[in-house]
Amino acid sequence: QGLLVLASNQSAVECVAARSGDSLWDLKIAGPARWGAFHEDHLLIGTDSQLLCVGASNGELLWQQKTTSGLPGFAEFQVVDDRVYLREDSRKLACVSAQTGTTIWSFTPTEGTILPHTFFSSHHTALRTKQRGKFIVLDGDGRLRFEVALTNEPWDHVPVALDSHRLAMVADARTIQLMDLNDGKQVWSYATL
């Protein structure tokens, strides 16, 4: 289709062909659009209160998800394989099928709120909580693998996967850690001077 540009305001999103500047389609949304990504020949669009899937060529609405409360609260959208991950407010993570829009799984910690910079992959989801700081890892199907208490500072950046089971993260202003996501054990830690 070539490069597309999305322009949005509080009530609509318009898709524009980047080469010609021609408007391809427009769609009413609870906007503005905060995130967009391609999945096959569909365009996924995230707003503060909606996740939509539209035909990239014609703007036809295929499915949509809304926040549980109907109020703004969606953040941290990410597509991995055929799934869309997102955070709702500070208490819930969701994994949604990019094809159908159905919720595959959701997770709410037993205590504390979810801090920003959640790590999503097809094998694991890793997150930090506030108030009783914990490092929590979920398997690809949303089941809790483990949780461990942490006293470190919140992540300033999303952790980086070295492979499907090891995650590098900034533990504090001076320390990088490599964690094994199978058992939650630290593989190594490096502190700068």
Side-chain angles (χ1 to χ4, degrees):
Q1 305 221 98
L3 187 62
L4 302 177
V5 175
L6 293 179
S8 78
N9 59 26
Q10 295 296 330
S11 61
V13 62
E14 182 177 5
C15 183
V16 177
R19 284 185 187 237
S20 65
D22 294 336
S23 177
L24 301 176
W25 50 261
D26 60 71
L27 180 70
K28 298 260 187 246
I29 62 170
R34 302 285 186 200
W35 172 85
F38 279 105
H39 179 263
E40 297 176 357
D41 57 346
H42 303 114
L43 186 60
L44 300 163
I45 300 170
T47 75
D48 292 337
S49 59
Q50 287 181 308
L51 172 63
L52 307 106
C53 180
V54 300
S57 61
N58 58 12
E60 177 188 0
L61 179 63
L62 302 171
W63 58 258
Q64 70 176 317
Q65 284 263 2
K66 295 182 179 180
T67 56
T68 308
S69 65
L71 300 172
F74 281 161
E76 294 194 82
F77 299 95
Q78 187 173 336
V79 176
V80 178
D81 299 329
D82 61 346
R83 297 175 173 193
V84 182
Y85 296 90
L86 56 95
R87 181 170 52 89
E88 184 173 347
D89 297 317
S90 59
R91 290 284 303 147
K92 181 179 177 183
L93 294 179
C95 174
V96 176
S97 167
Q99 285 288 355
T100 64
T102 56
T103 300
I104 298 169
W105 59 259
S106 65
F107 173 79
T108 302
T110 54
E111 57 186 355
T113 57
I114 300 170
L115 293 170
H117 307 301
T118 302
F119 169 81
F120 299 108
S121 78
S122 56
H123 298 288
H124 301 307
T125 297
L127 61 126
R128 293 283 309 272
T129 62
K130 187 178 180 180
Q131 298 111 14
R132 301 283 227 141
K134 291 182 181 175
F135 173 55
I136 299 173
V137 173
L138 310 174
D139 285 332
D141 59 6
R143 285 185 291 177
L144 179 67
R145 176 165 281 275
F146 65 83
E147 62 180 50
V148 293
L150 281 184
T151 57
N152 298 359
E153 300 167 19
W155 292 332
D156 286 334
H157 307 282
V158 176
V160 176
L162 294 184
D163 55 35
S164 61
H165 300 290
R166 292 182 304 163
L167 193 65
M169 62 185 93
V170 177
D172 58 42
R174 295 183 47 230
T175 310
I176 297 173
Q177 294 176 328
L178 183 67
M179 300 292 285
D180 187 322
L181 298 180
N182 286 320
D183 57 15
K185 294 195 178 0
Q186 180 177 289
V187 178
W188 54 256
S189 178
Y190 174 77
T192 62
L193 298 175

